[in-house]
Amino acid sequence: MLAFRPEQTFTLGTANGRAFRTLNILDENSRECLAILVKRKLNSTEVIDALTDLFILRGVPAYIRSDNGPEFIAEAVRDWIKAVGAKTAYIEPGSPWENGYCESFNGRMRDELLNGEIFYSLREAQIIIESWRTHYNTKRPHSALGYRPPAPEAIIPMDQRPIMH
């Protein structure tokens, strides 16, 4: 069963100085980034909506691991998670080691995308971040996966892959 790791990660801004946030939802098993929601503000209803869409497509995971941000500890989110049959695995504040994969993903997102971009609008940020997410999942090699992407566009048989040294 999958374990999603919703994580509110970045408070960023557009060129006009208006902030936006991202909600990164990751599959701990496959290392795939399932969704990145980019909004000016995020609340518990938007977290529930994003997770609902994923659960419809992929099924309900055994666990949902998240930080203790207000969007995740809100009573509505806790009640909804319980109602769909998943369990929670909250990360203690100040304990990044409990959140290793997500911390790694966030660092890569910042290094590979956010530090090199100026977003002129929220819509532009949404489009560019979604394009990066697609590249991250389908083309970018991951060392923990034998230098394969988590959701490749084409499956390459093991005996035809290049040997990485």
Side-chain angles (χ1 to χ4, degrees):
M1 185 73 67
L2 300 176
F4 297 158
R5 194 175 249 179
E7 182 69 20
Q8 223 166 317
T9 55
F10 305 108
T11 301
L12 307 164
T14 51
N16 66 7
R18 294 194 58 209
F20 65 85
R21 301 188 80 171
T22 68
L23 170 70
N24 301 339
I25 304 175
L26 311 169
D27 180 334
E28 290 182 345
N29 295 321
S30 71
R31 309 290 174 107
E32 183 179 2
C33 177
L34 303 174
I36 302 176
L37 184 62
V38 181
K39 302 281 243 170
R40 293 282 179 206
K41 293 181 181 182
L42 291 166
N43 60 38
S44 60
T45 301
E46 290 165 326
V47 171
I48 291 170
D49 288 347
L51 292 174
T52 298
D53 291 345
L54 290 172
F55 292 3
I56 290 168
L57 292 172
R58 297 182 176 246
V60 177
Y63 289 92
I64 299 173
R65 184 183 316 274
S66 70
D67 67 8
N68 286 307
E71 299 82 4
F72 302 111
I73 60 172
E75 189 173 338
V77 174
R78 288 194 319 249
D79 291 347
W80 179 83
I81 289 170
K82 186 176 179 181
V84 299
K87 294 180 179 149
T88 57
Y90 287 114
I91 297 161
E92 290 298 319
S95 302
W97 55 87
E98 294 179 16
N99 192 13
Y101 176 67
C102 204
E103 292 295 325
S104 174
F105 175 85
N106 294 344
R108 300 238 181 330
M109 183 175 173
R110 185 162 297 284
D111 291 346
E112 295 174 12
L113 172 67
L114 301 174
N115 286 344
E117 291 290 339
I118 296 173
F119 302 108
Y120 292 97
S121 69
L122 180 65
R123 186 66 187 135
E124 180 185 31
Q126 291 167 336
I127 291 167
I128 290 171
I129 290 170
E130 178 59 21
S131 176
W132 180 84
R133 186 187 75 82
T134 300
H135 178 267
Y136 178 89
N137 286 335
T138 61
K139 294 189 168 82
R140 185 189 177 283
H142 295 252
S143 60
L145 301 174
Y147 295 95
R148 292 174 293 169
E153 292 178 301
I155 304 298
I156 301 170
M158 293 295 281
D159 60 346
Q160 295 179 11
R161 286 187 303 137
I163 297 173
M164 302 300 247
H165 295 286

